[in-house]
Amino acid sequence: MSLDHRLTPEHEELRRTVEAFAHDVVAPKIGDLYERHEFPYEIVAEMGRMGLFGLPFPEEYGGMGGDYLALGIALEELARVDSSVAITLEAGVSLGAMPLYLFGTEEQKREWLPRMCSGEILGAFGLTEPGAGSDAGGTRTTAVREGDEWVINGSKCFITNSGTDITGLVTVTAVTGRKADGRPEISSIIVPSGTPGFTVAAPYSKVGWNSSDTRELSFDGVRVPLANLVGQEGRGYAQFLRILDEGRIAISALATGLAQGCVDESVKYAKERHAFGKSIGDNQAIQFKLADMEMRAHMARIGWRDAASRLVSGEPFKKEAAIAKLYSSTVAVDNARDATQIHGGYGFMNEYPVARMWRDSKILEIGEGTSEVQRMLIARELGFAG
């Protein structure tokens, strides 16, 4: 395939539109919301009206008829300004709506996707558990058939978009049986918000992503129809592996945006800040640091766009997605650290965007597959067992 990842005119128009939105709408508001740990409802509503939540979905389900590259472009431009807004979009699309689009029944798609694509409601994906993070095969939540219903018991943690005022559903992974060798059969089941027995805890107190909704969930005798099963019974494990493969591309795009945002803010600051009679940007030490930051962001962009292009064209992309996620998350942390250093004491003040970026960067090496997991995946693709 071609390695030319320059954008088509349509994709470039989208990029410019989201770039303007991020700077004109998100940037002036998000700082105060972030410090108050408030979810950006007005911003999310505007994103819904723009069609961002429907970017990769067909028009028949209320989407924009775009592709995963379009989603990545939007995520990168948003994350250049703020990651809480970007992760709300990423989780709403990749984790909330995508499982239903890829594996749901026609009835499930028509019931839920139009409202998710418009941003009227958000969906969440209940995978991680207190005792089963990267080891998703260690799921303890159970779903037992009783008549024409599933009865769900268990808990989930670190679930994004799960407790907002506009959250409509959580797709939950649960053990629904055992294989011949004793291993659990895991299925995915839709649990609408407000279902009796489904409890959403208070928001976590987090280091970063303070305007993103993240909560612990509990299920105590939760009853939903058997028709809420997503895909085939016992195929939930395989489904979430596919979801995470795609999601890594989206997280990589987000991480690239954060890395580029660090460059943007640091270049501006280096030109404006004067010390010893000249701008600090006149110092070669600062110039070289900025050059390294720009190089990292550029290479991260090539990585996620390559993986997205492979996904869109129907080619294998698992290894490329893991590489992109591993590299871009590392780059985001490195650039956030260097941006803070360039800003000096001001970089430690929350009124400056780089302080927010520094707080937001670390989770990118953990969420949707830790850096260690990415290295495992890459090694497996190279032919090593593990």
Side-chain angles (χ1 to χ4, degrees):
M1 65 174 291
S2 171
L3 292 180
D4 183 358
H5 298 306
R6 288 173 292 186
L7 301 182
T8 65
E10 294 78 13
H11 282 135
E12 176 59 21
E13 181 180 0
L14 170 66
R15 191 200 67 76
R16 291 181 181 275
T17 298
V18 180
E19 178 186 36
F21 172 76
H23 284 277
D24 298 342
V25 178
V26 178
K29 300 177 180 178
I30 197 60
D32 289 341
L33 292 171
Y34 190 95
E35 290 309 309
R36 296 199 302 267
H37 294 234
E38 292 185 11
F39 189 78
Y41 286 103
E42 292 184 6
I43 293 173
V44 169
E46 181 62 26
M47 289 162 59
R49 289 190 288 269
M50 292 171 66
L52 299 188
F53 287 95
L55 274 174
F57 302 113
E59 294 179 8
E60 64 178 302
Y61 299 121
M64 298 293 288
D67 55 25
Y68 222 84
L69 181 60
L71 174 63
I73 291 166
L75 290 171
E76 181 179 336
E77 290 303 322
L78 289 172
R80 286 177 72 170
V81 171
D82 180 72
S83 291
S84 290
V85 171
I87 194 60
T88 299
L89 175 62
E90 191 278 335
V93 175
S94 298
L95 300 179
M98 193 60 72
L100 299 186
Y101 174 64
L102 290 179
F103 309 112
T105 64
E106 190 64 24
E107 291 74 17
Q108 290 169 349
K109 293 177 185 179
R110 296 200 178 278
E111 178 181 0
W112 296 107
L113 285 182
R115 287 185 289 162
M116 298 171 86
C117 288
S118 70
E120 177 186 345
I121 63 171
L122 293 173
F125 191 56
L127 171 65
T128 304
E129 298 188 2
S134 297
D135 178 20
T139 297
R140 294 291 179 266
T141 298
T142 61
V144 179
R145 288 174 180 264
E146 286 192 10
D148 59 356
E149 294 179 316
W150 294 108
V151 181
I152 305 172
N153 288 281
S155 64
K156 302 290 180 179
C157 61
F158 311 140
I159 309 304
T160 305
N161 290 347
S162 59
T164 74
D165 293 344
I166 57 173
T167 299
L169 67 102
V170 178
T171 301
V172 178
T173 54
V175 177
T176 52
R178 294 283 169 180
K179 299 178 181 179
D181 61 3
R183 289 184 300 163
E185 285 187 342
I186 297 174
S187 303
S188 299
I189 301 172
I190 296 171
V191 179
S193 298
T195 301
F198 173 27
T199 303
V200 180
Y204 287 104
S205 176
K206 297 174 294 188
V207 171
W209 284 0
N210 285 340
S211 284
S212 166
D213 180 79
T214 316
R215 310 205 187 206
E216 184 173 357
L217 313 177
S218 63
F219 306 87
D220 184 7
V222 171
R223 292 178 176 271
V224 298
L226 294 179
N228 283 24
L229 178 72
V230 179
Q232 295 180 346
E233 184 175 348
R235 294 289 296 167
Y237 190 84
Q239 291 172 16
F240 90 75
L241 288 178
R242 167 68 185 274
I243 293 298
L244 292 184
D245 282 341
E246 294 190 2
R248 286 174 185 128
I249 300 174
I251 290 294
S252 180
L254 190 157
T256 300
L258 188 152
Q260 188 65 58
C262 288
V263 178
D264 298 341
E265 294 297 327
S266 296
V267 167
K268 180 173 65 176
Y269 184 81
K271 291 178 178 179
E272 296 173 349
R273 175 78 164 111
H274 283 70
F276 304 104
K278 62 180 180 180
S279 70
I280 64 171
D282 289 336
N283 296 311
Q284 192 178 67
I286 298 295
Q287 293 174 8
F288 280 11
K289 193 179 290 290
L290 289 168
D292 285 345
M293 292 168 65
E294 176 71 5
M295 174 186 66
R296 295 172 192 143
H298 177 78
M299 297 307 296
R301 182 173 302 109
I302 291 175
W304 84 253
R305 287 187 183 177
D306 175 59
S309 296
R310 292 173 186 272
L311 167 60
V312 170
S313 63
E315 299 179 49
F317 65 92
K318 180 186 290 285
K319 181 180 72 174
E320 288 75 17
I323 290 172
K325 202 275 184 181
L326 174 61
Y327 182 75
S328 62
S329 59
T330 302
V331 161
V333 172
D334 289 345
N335 276 18
R337 181 189 61 244
D338 285 350
T340 303
Q341 192 70 22
I342 289 171
H343 279 70
Y346 291 108
F348 205 63
M349 301 295 110
N350 286 326
E351 65 187 275
Y352 281 78
V354 295
R356 194 166 68 241
M357 293 170 179
W358 184 70
R359 292 163 69 178
D360 291 342
S361 64
K362 180 57 188 175
I363 187 59
L364 298 170
E365 294 185 315
I366 298 171
E368 295 209 32
T370 65
S371 295
E372 291 76 13
V373 166
Q374 304 314 309
R375 290 183 169 92
M376 288 167 52
L377 293 172
I378 296 167
R380 287 176 185 171
E381 291 296 310
L382 294 175
F384 294 97

